[in-house]
Amino acid sequence: MNDPNGMVFHNGIYHLFFQYYPESTVWGPMHWGHATSSDLVHWQEQPIALYPDSLGYIFSGSAVVDNSNTSGFGKDGKVPLVAIFTHHDPVGEKEKRIDYENQSIAYSLDNGKTWVKYAGNPVLKNPGINDFRDPKVMWYEPQKKWVMTLATKDHITFYSSPDLKNWSKESEFGKEIGAHGGVWECPDLFSLDDQGKKVWVLIVNLNPGGPNKGSATQYFLGDFDGKTFTASHTDIRWIDYGPDDYAGITWSNTGDRKIFLGWMSNWMYANVVPTKAWRSATTFPRELKLVHSGKDVWVASIPVKEISSIQQKNVVIQNMEFTNTVDLSKRIGENKLPCRLDIHFDDTRDFALVIANDAGEEVLVGYDQKQNQYFIDRSKSGKADFHKEFAARHVAPRISDKSRMSITLLIDVSSVELFADDGLTVMTSVFFPNKPYHKLLLHSTGNARINKLEYSGLKSIW
Ligand code: FRU
């Protein structure tokens, strides 16, 4: 799999479609795979939702609940789910034509189980831009219209429609702002509450050109008036600074709550990671919020609260001072994956959590006070020879200016997700150890003080 697609909440079910090529573990003719969940934690895979056809592969896109049947697809009072996606024509691409990506729609009247493609596809034809894809559609209530946010090479183009079938161009954003180390892909536009004020968030995925090389997700804060998005800052910001969170967007139809999830890989090596049965996974779902820090407002992400349903009894360690290295296994027992770790420090001093096995392989997650940076170091994490950039130490700025520091970690057999300072700095990284990481150690070069450490095993979701 790669990108999450068509994320929509409907009738108590979270739908997660995804870029999928069922015939192989390397990228190929894209379908929309489908999975469902009632709690964002336990997932069930469903039959493939959309297959490639004469218009091309089914590339990334979104889905909406068309409550007032603006599309006319509804029947007998059944509310249609409408998917809006890119048709990518591999023949046109091979012939080096410029217009091989167009936007199409499909609808479902049985809660996403089966889909009918619209006979009038494509609904938005390519105007002559070869990267013209990944439509994210939302309902804009003040003007009672649908708004499509589309990645158009090196900028975003906004379109609007009364019925999801007829689209008109509204405006463009981003040619001269933000990170441009690669092509813009998979955007998202939504608002978040900032102390009673509405702030618009524009997510733009970028490949390559991420802060730690390869694929990554930047965001802009600003205002949207139904036509134009205006950014309120010029600095470059990332939803996740790690190497392995890409193509992330949010669920639609979740009210004020905004839930984000990304693909846990990077196009630098996605097709060659040393896995067999599966390749690859998504991040854990994350709730997005606006948080004030310093003079600014930032997007923070934290694991959705539903994670508590799989959290086992906590082991709590309080007021621990340590120098050099402490073996946490002595206090918490053998590390069993997946697990969650929450550590609250009294101040901001150097530390590294060492996630290790007895084959000498390890991943370090920590904080470097001199640089004021968090880091994840997977240089000695196990299998890494499949790509020259894989064995590396990745860094992220500490955005919080609080004197106390805290981290939450979700550690699985092949990944770690770091949420520092209540999600102000986030990093995701994957790794491929030759033996399971059964050990957890804490390391400090000076002496460090932990106010509270909580460890809990996570029950399997399968
Ligand atoms: C991002 C992306 C999208 C595209 C899809 C194809 O990872 O390149 O832009 O729609 O993947 O699988």
Side-chain angles (χ1 to χ4, degrees):
M1 65 162 294
N2 49 288
D3 315 358
N5 294 150
M7 296 144 80
V8 61
F9 180 67
H10 183 52
N11 285 343
I13 300 292
Y14 293 93
H15 293 269
L16 168 60
F17 301 89
F18 50 92
Q19 287 289 281
Y20 181 42
Y21 179 36
E23 308 290 324
S24 172
T25 48
V26 295
W27 190 92
M30 284 289 119
H31 300 52
W32 271 26
H34 186 197
T36 52
S37 171
S38 57
D39 64 359
L40 292 166
V41 176
H42 299 86
W43 291 91
Q44 199 148 28
E45 194 165 345
Q46 305 291 350
I48 291 172
L50 293 169
Y51 286 78
D53 56 42
S54 62
L55 293 176
Y57 301 166
I58 313 299
F59 268 23
S60 288
S62 51
V64 295
V65 183
D66 184 11
N67 272 315
S68 32
N69 198 21
T70 61
S71 61
F73 292 140
K75 232 192 255 155
D76 307 328
K78 280 193 206 135
V79 170
L81 283 180
V82 181
I84 309 94
F85 57 89
T86 301
H87 254 131
H88 173 101
D89 174 17
V91 181
E93 185 185 21
K94 220 167 159 194
E95 289 170 354
K96 301 233 176 338
R97 287 189 15 209
I98 203 157
D99 59 352
Y100 55 85
E101 292 188 338
N102 297 280
Q103 315 321 316
S104 289
I105 57 177
Y107 66 93
S108 170
L109 295 177
D110 57 2
N111 295 316
K113 253 196 214 109
T114 58
W115 292 81
V116 181
K117 292 192 191 117
Y118 175 49
N121 280 341
V123 291
L124 175 58
K125 286 216 177 103
N126 193 307
I129 304 180
N130 61 343
D131 291 297
F132 187 72
R133 59 176 177 266
D134 309 338
K136 180 79 193 314
V137 173
M138 60 151 195
W139 178 249
Y140 187 69
E141 181 58 27
Q143 293 164 19
K144 304 234 182 299
K145 65 183 187 188
W146 298 101
V147 169
M148 178 197 289
T149 306
L150 194 70
T152 48
K153 203 181 188 84
D154 58 352
H155 61 284
I156 295 299
T157 307
F158 296 104
Y159 293 86
S160 73
S161 170
D163 57 5
L164 297 163
K165 293 171 177 163
N166 298 287
W167 293 92
S168 351
K169 183 170 166 177
E170 292 285 358
S171 68
E172 293 181 3
F173 169 83
K175 270 195 188 135
E176 272 103 44
I177 188 173
H180 282 277
V183 65
W184 282 22
E185 300 183 314
C186 300
D188 195 358
L189 176 72
F190 52 89
S191 64
L192 285 176
D193 173 75
D194 174 29
Q195 304 172 344
K197 209 177 83 214
K198 200 178 243 200
V199 171
W200 287 86
V201 183
L202 176 64
I203 286 181
V204 177
N205 283 276
L206 173 74
N207 179 59
N212 280 294
K213 293 198 180 149
S215 328
T217 311
Q218 62 180 320
Y219 74 89
F220 302 88
L221 297 181
D223 195 22
F224 181 69
D225 61 5
K227 185 176 181 65
T228 311
F229 178 85
T230 316
S232 58
H233 58 97
T234 50
D235 55 324
I236 294 170
R237 298 172 174 209
W238 305 95
I239 286 269
D240 185 315
Y241 285 83
D244 296 300
D245 175 15
Y246 191 55
I249 46 169
T250 63
W251 260 276
S252 69
N253 202 37
T254 52
D256 289 340
R257 199 173 172 208
K258 274 289 150 195
I259 306 159
F260 170 98
L261 164 150
W263 168 49
M264 203 148 54
S265 193
N266 189 313
W267 279 123
M268 280 196 295
Y269 43 70
N271 281 303
V272 294
V273 289
T275 60
K276 284 199 186 106
W278 59 271
R279 185 182 284 168
S280 32
T282 68
T283 66
F284 196 77
R286 303 165 178 184
E287 179 150 1
L288 302 184
K289 290 234 160 88
L290 291 179
V291 172
H292 284 249
S293 180
K295 283 190 242 90
D296 246 316
V297 187
W298 306 82
V299 174
S301 336
I302 49 164
V304 294
K305 61 178 184 331
E306 285 85 346
I307 195 172
S308 64
S309 72
I310 51 167
Q311 259 172 241
Q312 286 159 323
K313 216 169 144 270
N314 292 6
V315 179
V316 180
I317 303 172
Q318 261 162 330
N319 300 323
M320 182 172 80
E321 284 202 48
F322 67 98
T323 38
N324 301 322
T325 305
V326 271
D327 184 350
L328 289 175
S329 318
K330 297 212 171 85
R331 308 280 289 267
I332 60 181
E334 184 181 277
N335 179 33
K336 291 212 182 74
L337 299 171
C339 72
R340 172 186 180 144
L341 199 60
D342 293 279
I343 312 179
H344 301 267
F345 296 88
D346 273 336
D347 46 25
T348 55
R349 274 182 252 187
D350 283 1
F351 81 90
L353 178 82
V354 187
I355 310 164
N357 60 20
D358 51 22
E361 297 167 348
E362 60 184 27
V363 171
L364 310 181
V365 181
Y367 173 70
D368 174 344
Q369 190 186 35
K370 211 151 116 216
Q371 304 292 335
N372 194 28
Q373 279 173 340
Y374 290 100
F375 63 85
I376 299 182
D377 188 341
R378 65 178 179 196
S379 11
K380 292 191 214 118
S381 61
K383 297 189 185 88
D385 59 0
F386 53 89
H387 194 277
K388 64 177 187 341
E389 299 288 354
F390 191 81
R393 181 181 186 271
H394 300 116
V395 297
R398 179 171 194 249
I399 291 167
S400 171
D401 58 358
K402 292 214 176 102
S403 57
R404 290 179 158 209
M405 169 170 79
S406 73
I407 60 165
T408 293
L409 293 173
L410 300 184
I411 314 171
D412 208 336
V413 291
S414 206
S415 62
V416 61
E417 296 173 69
L418 162 69
F419 305 88
D421 306 305
D422 297 317
L424 271 173
T425 300
V426 179
M427 296 181 86
T428 303
S429 182
V430 300
F431 37 77
F432 303 96
N434 287 297
K435 286 175 95 180
Y437 286 143
H438 282 321
K439 299 201 281 192
L440 281 181
L441 308 143
L442 258 177
H443 182 73
S444 173
T445 40
N447 62 329
R449 271 184 58 83
I450 281 176
N451 181 279
K452 190 174 173 192
L453 181 151
E454 281 180 87
Y455 173 89
S456 39
L458 297 173
K459 282 183 230 157
S460 168
I461 66 159
W462 304 113

